[in-house]
Amino acid sequence: MAGKLSTFFLTHGLTRFNTKQSNLRFVFDSRRPLPASCKMRRRSFRLQHKEQSAKKGSPEVLQLNAQLAFGDGDAKLGDGSSKEFSIARLNLPAGSPATGDSIPTSVDVDDGETLPSIQLEDLIRMVRNAEKNILLINQARLHALEDLEKIGSEKESLQGEINNLEMRLAETDAKIRVAAQHKIHVELLEKQLEEMRKELSNRNGYQGSNFDTNGMRDEISKDNFHVLFEELISLRAENVSLKGDIEALRTELSSITTTDDCKVMLENKHSHLESAVDDLEVKLAAAQRDVTTLSSLKLEYKSLWEKVEDLQSLLDKATKQADEAASLSQQNQELRKKVERLEEYLQEANALTLSTEKMQKYHELMQQKIKLLEERLQRSDEEIHSYVQLHQESMKGFQDSLNSLMEESKKRALDEPVDDMPWEFWSSLLLLVDGWLLERKITPNNAELLKEMVLKRDRRICDAYLACKEKDELEALSVLLRLTSNSTSSGLHIIHIAAEMAPVAKVGGLGDVVTGLGKALQKKGHLVEIILPKYDCMQYEFIHDLRALNVVLRSYFDKQLYENKIWVGTVEGLPVYFIEPLHPSKFFSRGQYYGEHDDFKRFSFFSRAALELFLQAGKKPDIIHCHDWQTAFVAPLYWEIYAHKGLNSARICFTCHNFEYQGTAPASELASCGLDVDHLNRQDRMQDNVAHDRVNPVKGAVVFSNIVTTVSPTYAQEVLTPEGGRGLHTTLSSQSRKFIGILNGIDADSWNPATDVFLKRRYNSSDIQGKLENKNTLRKHLHLSSADATRPLVCCITRLVPQKGVHLIRHAIYRTLELGGQFVLLGSSPVHYIQREFEGIASHFQSHEDARLILKYDEPLSHLIYAASDMFIIPSIFEPCGLTQMVAMRYGSIPIARKTGGLNDSVFDVDDTAIPEKFQNGFTFVTADEQGVNSALDRAFHHYKYRESWQRLVLKVMEMDFSWNSSALQYEELYRNALIRARAAKRA
């Protein structure tokens, strides 16, 4: 048992204990394996000195009465004072088998005490937990035992202890010197403290031998001297301890003279101090275990490190050899590849040698062929020379024929139409001829012939007019009369009689239609003329070459003849006649186009004066096209009066742009223009279908015209119903064979973002960046917020009348702001209460950063609004055609429209899957209420968030064709069919 216990001590670093004299109790913690090493925390200098002194004594004479606890890595001393030891586990390779030494479950000591038994299960669990580390630990312990048995004496270890003592002695001397300095410093502090006490006693009047320490501390703390007092106390305590240590060290050092004497003295000292170090035996044992364990581990570490270095060197050598082998293998492969390439080169060289021989033979053959080619080349040169001579002769003949062709081309050019002159030139020339005719300077036949030449854009009349333009009128007249000859024209002579024409006199869409349709028909080779009242409020800056003719036109009205002054000029390249009545009532000099109390008289007078102009000027047009109720009088006047005066060559076409405005009046007022009231105030003629005592000019035009049109196919169907026809549905149904709806177009020249002079920056479908710049320009102009350039801008340009859905426009303003957009309205109202209502809304939004209302018509601003808007709302209750949605799309603005009239024929919902995608171009709603507007606006704002798809939609609507080309073709066909029927009726 004693042998096993000694082995146990050795394996745990306790080889210096005598089991026979020890009173030792071991307690094992089954939860964790025994620590492999421990590191003692820092001790005081005196404790270290005593432990070193104890090591010099014989281990056998030590009485160990302490209790050691091996568990959580802490060793507690039996005298009540505790010192903690930090345990560091030794991580060793796993898989080490357990040693053959068995650990007893109990240990017997000679004095009869028995070590407490250790549970077998705890030991088994401890062994299992330490299974991976036990082999290397036991091997280290065996090596330590072998090393300890080889040590013959303890002289070397004692010599090391003596060296340590000498080092500590030197440290002690240094501390003594420091302590002496501290002592001097303390004495100085004491003197200062005494002086301070005296000073404080003098101040406070306090006398006595006992010094109140607590009161003094308070006073010193006030004067920041309490730190000195505490330092003094600590220095005194340290001085006392240092004095004790110094005396002990001096006592011990005085007996140490030589190395041999030191050993004897230490043994004697150990015997004398044995009773004093009982409480330090556990500490000494722990120190011995630490020293032994550390020394053994150091040796083990050195041996292992040497082995590792050997292995590392072997590994480096093996790595170098492997690298060398790999490089040699790579070099070998490269050499093999080079050998293979050399073999290939050798084969190619052999092949080249063979091919060289063949090339020599081929070269000889080529030399022979070259000789043959040289001979042939010489013969070909001779042939080419002969061909050149023939070519020169043929070129002479070609030049002669070319000259003759050029002469013929010049002759033909005289007969071809001139395309490089603007329409304003031809219109001015036509007006000049008409002026000569009205002034009786040329005969009607000559005027007709000159007009035909103008209609055909004959080069002869063009050159003649340009040549004599600077001459006087008689010379120009004589030159042009020489050109008269019999000629025919395939074009039609079309005269529009209207109350509006854009841009000189525009209130609504009527003016755009007159100008756009006239220009489209003119481009197709027809002679188009326009007759307008001469308003005093017209935009005269858009009229070119305006002049008054030296002729007086007299027309009948109110049973007498009134004079009219005729003005001519060109507007948008179209020849225009302006009739200025010299009537006392000044019909068209009142500062506005419509809204007068006598509008019926004003426009019936104008209609008869226009027909009188035809008669006196000798005009025989093919088509007279009148528009809306203001010129609807033309149809009954033409057939009832002027057809009997010889003006019967024309067919009448009437276009009603809005059946809500019919111009009814008491039947008696019809007599002012010379019509027979009794004859026309009948149910089948001009009598109003609702009020029988009134006449209806629109009904009269429907009855007396050869062609009746309206401005969209859907609206043509709507007016056949009682709701849409406004009382004329029965008349229209009875005349349905000549009634048709043709969708209006827009003037693609006037409404073109690529050439628009009113825009800050022009743009087209290939480059729409200019649209954003115009948007910013409008915002600055109207003082709207530009913080977010991507915010959608909703716009509306309209007349504020009930037909346009003014309550829905008002709701759209607020709904747009709720959705985070901006709104701009441009327009005015002839209805006073509507105008006042929107003036109040405009005042409310006057300083708003996201809404602006401009309650007037402004042509330049309208162009900028179209270009700047992202969406354009048209919530009409009914809309015969509507041009704003077409113009908006031309400028890249997406329409939001109600499905009615022309809006239904031009705007197709992007979410309607029944419509082909290529026609989808806007957002529509059916019900004329706020819910309908909300649904369309909400969907539009939702689509606007997806910028790429929105940009594709913008590009698509900009490329759609809403010009007058297709509409003009339909009108041309209607005109020709009417003329064909008229000629057929004459032949019959």
Side-chain angles (χ1 to χ4, degrees), residues 2-232:
K4 291 181 179 180
L5 188 58
S6 299
T7 305
F8 181 80
F9 287 155
L10 289 171
T11 58
H12 288 75
L14 303 174
T15 58
R16 293 297 180 183
F17 292 106
N18 188 347
T19 59
K20 293 182 180 182
Q21 297 180 0
S22 64
N23 185 10
L24 184 64
R25 186 178 182 184
F26 295 90
V27 181
F28 292 90
D29 189 352
S30 62
R31 293 175 296 176
R32 57 191 296 179
L34 292 174
S37 64
C38 60
K39 181 180 180 182
M40 190 188 305
R41 292 187 179 180
R42 208 172 59 178
R43 298 177 176 86
S44 66
F45 174 78
R46 186 174 182 180
L47 178 60
Q48 292 176 353
H49 176 67
K50 290 183 178 180
E51 287 177 351
Q52 295 298 334
S53 300
K55 290 179 182 178
K56 301 304 183 289
S58 177
E60 281 76 18
V61 298
L62 291 174
Q63 297 291 331
L64 299 177
N65 296 323
Q67 293 183 356
L68 298 178
F70 296 86
D72 295 332
D74 298 335
K76 294 184 178 180
L77 301 179
D79 60 351
S81 63
S82 62
K83 299 290 181 179
E84 294 182 358
F85 296 86
S86 176
I87 307 303
R89 294 176 181 271
L90 179 62
N91 296 324
L92 298 174
S96 303
T99 60
D101 296 336
S102 62
I103 300 175
T105 60
S106 65
V107 180
D108 295 332
V109 186
D110 293 345
D111 58 5
E113 293 182 4
T114 305
L115 294 173
S117 61
I118 301 174
Q119 296 294 331
L120 182 60
E121 292 81 0
D122 295 338
L123 287 173
I124 293 173
R125 186 161 54 251
M126 180 181 65
V127 170
R128 287 177 178 175
N129 292 334
E131 183 179 8
K132 296 180 181 180
N133 299 329
I134 198 167
L135 177 59
L136 294 178
I137 294 173
N138 287 333
Q139 289 177 355
R141 290 169 181 168
L142 291 174
H143 287 303
L145 288 172
E146 291 174 359
D147 293 338
L148 290 172
E149 289 175 356
K150 293 179 183 180
I151 298 173
S153 65
E154 297 179 350
K155 183 176 181 180
E156 294 178 358
S157 63
L158 290 174
Q159 185 65 40
E161 295 296 334
I162 291 167
N163 295 333
N164 290 332
L165 286 173
E166 291 175 351
M167 293 175 63
R168 291 180 179 179
L169 180 60
E171 293 175 0
T172 302
D173 291 335
K175 288 186 176 182
I176 289 170
R177 289 193 296 271
V178 173
Q181 294 176 359
H182 281 299
K183 183 177 181 181
I184 295 169
H185 183 60
V186 168
E187 291 175 355
L188 292 173
L189 291 174
E190 287 177 350
K191 290 179 180 179
Q192 292 177 1
L193 182 60
E194 188 65 27
E195 292 175 358
M196 291 171 63
R197 285 177 181 174
K198 292 178 180 180
E199 184 179 356
L200 290 172
S201 63
N202 294 330
R203 288 182 182 179
N204 299 326
Y206 177 76
Q207 300 294 332
S209 58
N210 295 328
F211 183 74
D212 189 353
T213 306
N214 293 330
M216 188 63 189
R217 285 178 183 173
D218 294 336
E219 292 297 324
I220 293 172
S221 62
K222 294 179 182 179
D223 299 327
N224 296 325
F225 291 112
H226 66 281
V227 177
L228 296 174
F229 184 75
E230 292 177 357
E231 185 178 359
L232 178 62

Side-chain angles (χ1 to χ4, degrees), residues 544-563:
H544 299 282
D545 300 327
L546 179 64
R547 61 187 177 90
L549 297 179
N550 188 19
V551 63
V552 176
L553 176 69
R554 293 179 177 84
S555 62
Y556 176 88
F557 196 77
D558 284 337
K559 300 181 180 180
Q560 60 180 320
L561 295 177
Y562 288 94
E563 294 184 351

Side-chain angles (χ1 to χ4, degrees), residues 794-806:
V794 183
C795 296
C796 180
I797 300 176
T798 184
R799 288 185 302 117
L800 295 173
V801 293
Q803 168 203 339
K804 301 296 182 178
V806 290

Side-chain angles (χ1 to χ4, degrees), residues 309-323:
E309 288 179 348
D310 295 338
L311 291 172
Q312 185 64 38
S313 61
L314 293 173
L315 179 61
D316 293 340
K317 291 179 181 178
T319 303
K320 290 180 180 178
Q321 292 176 358
D323 293 338

Side-chain angles (χ1 to χ4, degrees), residues 251-316:
T251 304
E252 293 173 0
L253 291 175
S254 62
S255 61
I256 299 173
T257 56
T258 62
T259 303
D260 295 334
D261 294 338
C262 184
K263 179 178 180 182
V264 175
M265 290 175 66
L266 287 173
E267 290 177 353
N268 294 331
K269 182 67 175 178
H270 182 273
S271 62
H272 291 294
L273 297 174
E274 190 175 29
S275 60
V277 296
D278 289 339
D279 57 339
L280 300 175
E281 288 180 353
V282 176
K283 298 177 182 179
L284 180 61
Q288 285 179 334
R289 286 198 303 274
D290 289 341
V291 172
T292 306
T293 304
L294 287 173
S295 60
S296 61
L297 290 175
K298 286 179 180 178
L299 295 172
E300 180 183 358
Y301 173 75
K302 289 180 180 179
S303 62
L304 290 173
W305 182 253
E306 292 175 355
K307 291 179 181 179
V308 169
E309 288 179 348
D310 295 338
L311 291 172
Q312 185 64 38
S313 61
L314 293 173
L315 179 61
D316 293 340

Side-chain angles (χ1 to χ4, degrees), residues 70 115 127 159 176 228 232 277 364 377 391 395 418 453 604 626 631 664 726 745 747 755 784 873 890 904 908 928 944:
F70 296 86
L115 294 173
V127 170
Q159 185 65 40
I176 289 170
L228 296 174
L232 178 62
V277 296
E364 292 176 357
L377 182 61
H391 176 70
M395 282 298 295
V418 179
M453 295 180 71
S604 61
C626 48
T631 59
T664 62
R726 297 293 194 273
D747 185 353
T755 59
L784 296 174
I873 188 164
R890 175 79 165 156
N904 187 55
F908 306 100
Y944 185 82

